[in-house]
Amino acid sequence: MRLIERREYLDKIIRVIGTPDIKVITGVRRCGKSKLLEAFKEHITREYPKANMIHINFNFPEYDGLLEYRPLYDYINDKYVPNTENFVLIDEVQMCAQFEKAINGLHASEKFDIYITGSNAFMLSSDLATLFTGRTFEIKVYPFSFQEYIRYFKPSDMYGAFERYSLEGGMAGAYVYQDTESRYNYIADVFNTLIVRDIRRKYKIRNTALMDQIVDFMMDNISNLSSSRNIADILSKSQNKISHKTVGMYMQYLCNAFAFYKVRRYDIKGKKYLSSNDKYYLSDHGFRYAKLGTKNLDYGRILENIVAIELLRCGYEVYVGVLYKNEIDFVAIKRDEKVYIQVSDNISEESTFEREVAPLLKIKDAYPKMLIARTRHDSYVYEGIKITDIASWLSYSVTPTSNEARA
């Protein structure tokens, strides 16, 4: 498989070299965390030639003797070299029983600069502060963006490349397969055998059929408002009554493992978050087609999913906007920056265009407003709203409100 440099993530790690944090690389399974750690190792070897590198990858059998926390701790301690930088890189750290004891002990010694990756069902973002007594710095990794897809394939036609990306997704491990069926088989296998299996192991789930039903329902309803209660009610119609609390727990497990991301609703006028009904987006839209098939493509939902993940990738807090009875697809917030975004598949019909811009026109504050669609045209401004093509918008690794780069 050909590799590309994921410079955006690598730079995030490089900027925290030497800080006292435990650096934790998170993201959905097979999104490239291990390859990123290898790229970082190459950077250290090149830029710090006198540094002591201790690299452990628990995918390899030669480290089977370190699968308990005490041997792992002693092994790393024994390899310490005084009077130089000591880097500790551990891949799939969760395979070591009680790994947090070893990491906390090494961190407390103040002798090592520590970087770890792990299966996310076993090492969740929400658990980091509890697992590790020292401060953690999380580097969130996502599947390939469209910009990375372009860098990988080097297509001559950007719009044609986006059509393929919208179907294939960003799980780069699938790109080595030559036919669509093999690619989808790989993607489905990642979801079924890695993501869902991890969840079942961590939470000791016995009702695997219910988990599968919830997964299929959430995939089929990405971008729709959902709640554990309405999912439980719908599933209960075809079988015995299902508790909404159980459904809610399973949904949370899927989000914990970065299979889905929950996006809450935000009242634009009242400036408050709403507690009822959320939207859920897949970490990679390719999972949906691999699991459910491409019979009902529903491009509008897929485009919305792609934009949601791109906003998260850019570091935005993402919400569904609510203004009176209108819904704005996304309110993206980063510190004092805010942008309102509508996403549509096709706005060539005047009635569709007017329907999509109507909610944006009702927003009275001065923050930027955008309509992202498959226009295949240069960007333009309509009554203060920037209308831009989704492929053009995604092809630049910059923030959504950069008029100069995304024009």
Side-chain angles (χ1 to χ4, degrees):
M1 177 181 173
R2 189 167 62 83
L3 300 177
I4 63 169
E5 185 177 58
R6 306 189 78 183
R7 194 72 216 181
E8 298 84 357
Y9 298 117
L10 187 57
D11 284 343
K12 288 180 181 180
I13 305 177
I14 291 171
R15 286 195 291 267
V16 292
I17 289 176
T19 64
D21 310 317
I22 300 168
K23 292 82 171 178
V24 185
I25 301 172
T26 66
V28 70
R29 280 291 207 129
R30 296 292 172 88
C31 69
K33 300 186 297 295
S34 297
K35 295 299 183 185
L36 179 61
L37 199 64
E38 289 177 12
F40 178 65
K41 179 182 177 181
E42 292 176 4
H43 172 85
I44 294 299
T45 303
R46 184 173 61 252
E47 300 297 328
Y48 298 81
K50 295 181 179 180
N52 178 38
M53 179 78 68
I54 306 166
H55 184 202
I56 298 166
N57 188 337
F58 279 115
N59 286 309
F60 298 134
E62 56 259 42
Y63 298 108
D64 283 354
L66 306 180
L67 292 176
E68 299 288 337
Y69 82 89
R70 187 69 207 209
L72 176 63
Y73 176 83
D74 291 340
Y75 174 87
I76 294 173
N77 245 341
D78 290 344
K79 288 188 172 293
Y80 173 75
V81 176
N83 303 317
T84 191
E85 296 95 340
N86 285 263
F87 291 91
V88 174
L89 281 62
I90 307 177
D91 208 0
E92 297 294 350
V93 71
Q94 86 288 339
M95 295 177 69
C96 172
Q98 297 182 297
F99 64 88
E100 66 276 8
K101 290 186 177 181
I103 300 301
N104 285 329
L106 295 168
H107 181 262
S109 72
E110 299 183 356
K111 298 189 298 185
F112 302 98
D113 199 357
I114 303 170
Y115 302 79
I116 60 177
T117 78
S119 172
N120 300 292
F122 292 85
M123 192 171 64
L124 314 174
S125 298
S126 58
D127 290 348
L128 296 182
T130 304
L131 281 172
F132 303 120
T133 55
R135 187 176 183 274
T136 58
F137 183 88
E138 185 179 7
I139 298 96
K140 299 177 181 179
V141 180
Y142 297 85
F144 268 25
S145 65
F146 179 55
Q147 202 234 14
E148 290 174 316
Y149 185 89
I150 289 175
R151 280 160 49 197
Y152 185 92
F153 286 106
K154 296 182 170 59
S156 57
D157 175 14
M158 179 181 66
Y159 300 117
F162 178 74
E163 297 302 317
R164 293 190 297 275
Y165 176 75
S166 66
L167 290 172
E168 296 173 357
M171 300 301 290
Y175 298 164
V176 298
Y177 298 96
Q178 297 301 309
D179 61 280
T180 301
E181 183 178 358
S182 296
R183 290 185 178 187
Y184 281 151
N185 285 341
Y186 168 87
I187 296 168
D189 189 60
V190 168
F191 197 94
N192 292 331
T193 64
L194 296 180
I195 299 171
V196 175
R197 184 189 63 189
D198 276 359
I199 294 170
R200 289 171 178 166
R201 286 171 57 198
K202 178 176 174 64
Y203 300 106
K204 299 178 175 59
I205 291 174
R206 295 181 180 179
N207 194 345
T208 57
L210 176 59
M211 169 66 80
D212 292 340
Q213 286 179 306
I214 293 170
V215 166
D216 289 349
F217 185 92
M218 292 175 69
M219 282 187 174
D220 199 33
N221 286 275
I222 55 172
S223 85
N224 282 348
L225 290 173
S226 300
S227 70
S228 58
R229 191 175 296 277
N230 66 36
I231 294 176
D233 289 344
I234 291 169
L235 295 180
S236 294
K237 291 178 181 179
S238 59
Q239 55 193 291
N240 294 330
K241 186 170 177 60
I242 298 169
S243 165
H244 71 89
K245 291 183 179 179
T246 300
V247 173
M249 283 192 301
Y250 284 12
M251 293 170 73
Q252 186 59 52
Y253 297 159
L254 289 162
C255 292
N256 287 346
F258 298 99
F260 291 86
Y261 288 88
K262 181 171 77 171
V263 174
R264 297 169 60 194
R265 294 196 300 157
Y266 177 77
D267 184 341
I268 295 171
K269 186 175 186 296
K271 297 182 179 179
K272 61 182 179 181
Y273 305 113
L274 303 174
S275 58
S276 62
N277 292 330
D278 303 298
K279 288 192 177 185
Y280 291 85
Y281 295 96
L282 275 163
S283 54
D284 187 75
H285 54 282
F287 288 135
R288 185 176 192 261
Y289 290 148
K291 289 276 289 175
L292 304 184
T294 57
K295 183 177 180 180
N296 297 314
L297 292 177
D298 203 343
Y299 277 114
R301 292 186 185 183
I302 294 300
L303 299 191
E304 194 174 319
N305 200 112
I306 290 171
V307 171
I309 299 303
E310 180 70 8
L311 291 169
L312 292 171
R313 190 182 283 116
C314 290
Y316 283 82
E317 297 175 43
V318 182
Y319 303 95
V320 176
V322 178
L323 183 62
Y324 307 112
K325 294 184 178 181
N326 296 290
E327 181 181 292
I328 290 85
D329 289 335
F330 300 116
V331 181
I333 301 172
K334 187 192 294 184
R335 293 180 289 277
D336 59 347
E337 181 184 347
K338 184 187 295 184
V339 57
Y340 301 106
I341 298 174
Q342 286 284 84
V343 182
S344 182
D345 176 25
N346 187 340
I347 55 172
S348 58
E349 295 289 336
E350 185 177 353
S351 59
T352 305
F353 177 81
E354 291 177 352
R355 185 184 70 242
E356 295 293 347
V357 298
L360 295 174
L361 291 172
K362 292 179 180 179
I363 301 172
K364 300 306 179 185
D365 64 38
Y367 289 109
K369 305 171 184 66
M370 298 181 65
L371 172 56
I372 300 173
R374 290 196 301 172
T375 68
R376 294 196 173 210
H377 298 299
D378 291 339
S379 298
Y380 64 97
V381 176
Y382 171 82
E383 295 192 24
I385 300 169
K386 185 175 181 181
I387 316 298
T388 191
D389 177 75
I390 187 168
S392 299
W393 181 76
L394 290 167
S395 63
Y396 294 95
S397 182
V398 293
T399 56
T401 54
S402 174
N403 293 329
E404 185 176 62
R406 301 231 185 207

